[in-house]
Amino acid sequence: MASRAKTAIATPRLSHDEKLATENLGSRGLETREAKADEGGVPGWFAFVPASVGRSQYALLLFGVICQLVTIGITWPLWQIRISPPHLPTWDLPQWPFGWLMVASLVLVAAKPRWGVPVHWGVLIVACVWDQFRMQPQFFSIAVLMTACVWDAGRRVARWTLVSTWLWAGLHKLLSPDWFGYASHWVVARSGFDADSTYFGFALGVAVVELAVGLLAIFRPKWAAPACLVMHVGIALMISPVVLNWNESVLPWNLSVAVIGTWVMRTTETWRPDQAWEKVVCTICLFAPIGFYGGYLDHGFSGVLYSGSLPQGLITTKRGLQPIEGWGELAVPFPSERRTLRIYFEQVAEPGAKLHLADPRPWLDDAFYVLDSDHHARPIDSDAFFAGVPVFDDSPADGFDQIDSSAPYEISGVGLDSRRSKFELQRAGVRMVRRAADEPIYAVAFTKDSFDRELLNYLPGLPNLMQIQFAGTAIQDDDLRKLLRCRLLTGIGLDHTAITDAGLGHLKTLPYLQYIECEGTEITPEGLQSVINDPLGSLE
């Protein structure tokens, strides 16, 4: 009886409030144990998970590591020492292979995430300083996603980088005439659909969806999670061998965004940035990409995805033309920026070669360069660019080798034909003529049915244009003002048009204009004489 009494005294009856407190304490202990288990404190498959990272986040981190490894494998020659295409160094540095260093840094990420992620970032940045060809957005985006799996702050940064990517991907497309032109037309046509009737709707739909997902990621991030998954799985399917079979190096990136990006959005608690540094990151991500239009921020870090409107370069040498392109064994596009195009020119060309840097962005003009004896790209104006001995003539390409090298001569640069101009003129039914398949357009012919004065705005995009036929069209005097940028123009067909001497007066500054067809017009001999140039004098 005494023993039973002691037992009763040792276990007193608990009040209702005390029971609730005990249950809460127990539940907290359970949560603590689960959290420790999530950090790797449990035996079995997750026993090796670093204590600093939860097992679910570690699984996502490993997925990011695998995606980055696959991307590096696809682009393996990009990380090695190579001769062609040349490296694009930030400074004149001896080259170094970075492929295995990148792999080693990713192994360290898997083993020691909090050490490995910063090391991987460091190797990636140094590798890009050694060669700007490696400044491809997919490498950096996957690195951001891996960072999100290790630190909560990294997750918040990743959230705003994704917001910026989606938001500006849609905005850039909506603002890009090239996306609503040749770029979307190419995607639809390569997918096997009737591009002529569907490309505009496709272009608009893609831009609106990307913009909508970006807005959701700002104000309703949890709603953006399923949209992120569907959109990026769809993009991965689109670029896969099943549909486009194109740009395989971004396939792992899209899969990493579909998985890790969805997790980032799903676990975001609030749309409003709380801390001061988060507000700075948010502001930079949302507004910095506008610098793309002024050439201040690279397109790969501005959300410019497939929308076109990128600068391009064409090199003219004594032996012919050399477009500046990527792909090949590197499996990535050329990082088309004004500085990288110029660096490439200085790396591959010989003194006397010329570069046309064509930039379709409305805030920037085309640039023209000649390579001097110190292998520096020296800016010149368009008239100086086109002056000199033409590369294309009736002689074989190696005919220049027979010219006495002791008597230097200047070659005439060849301009890069605008893809936008070619697309719009072709869509309108305007005939464009080349001397050979690999040579630029030198003549265009409008008909009564194909003429539209708005199309004249695209003619300066064909900088090698020498002949234009307007016979029988509705062209007016003031329309000829738009031809002043066609500096190589030698002849114009104006038969049976309403052009008068006043219209011809707009063409007086064209240096090579030699003949004008004007039957059935009010053009007088005096008007012709005022604009026609002496062919011999124009070549002096």
Side-chain angles (χ1 to χ4, degrees), residues 56-67:
S56 59
Q57 291 178 221
Y58 185 73
L60 291 169
L61 177 65
L62 283 184
F63 185 74
V65 168
I66 292 171
C67 288

Side-chain angles (χ1 to χ4, degrees), residues 14 31 34 36 86 154 156 166 201 208 210 239 279 281 291 305 325 334 407 414 453-454 466 500:
L14 297 177
E31 290 174 0
E34 289 178 348
K36 289 182 178 179
R156 294 194 289 273
W166 297 329
V208 170
E210 290 176 332
I239 64 177
K279 295 177 181 178
V281 171
L305 304 176
E325 299 175 334
F334 186 87
V414 177
R453 54 181 42 88
E454 292 300 320
M466 301 177 69
T500 67

Side-chain angles (χ1 to χ4, degrees), residues 367-384:
F368 303 90
Y369 299 93
V370 62
L371 196 67
D372 62 22
S373 57
D374 295 325
H375 276 261
H376 293 149
R378 178 168 56 85
I380 56 178
D381 62 27
S382 60
D383 285 346

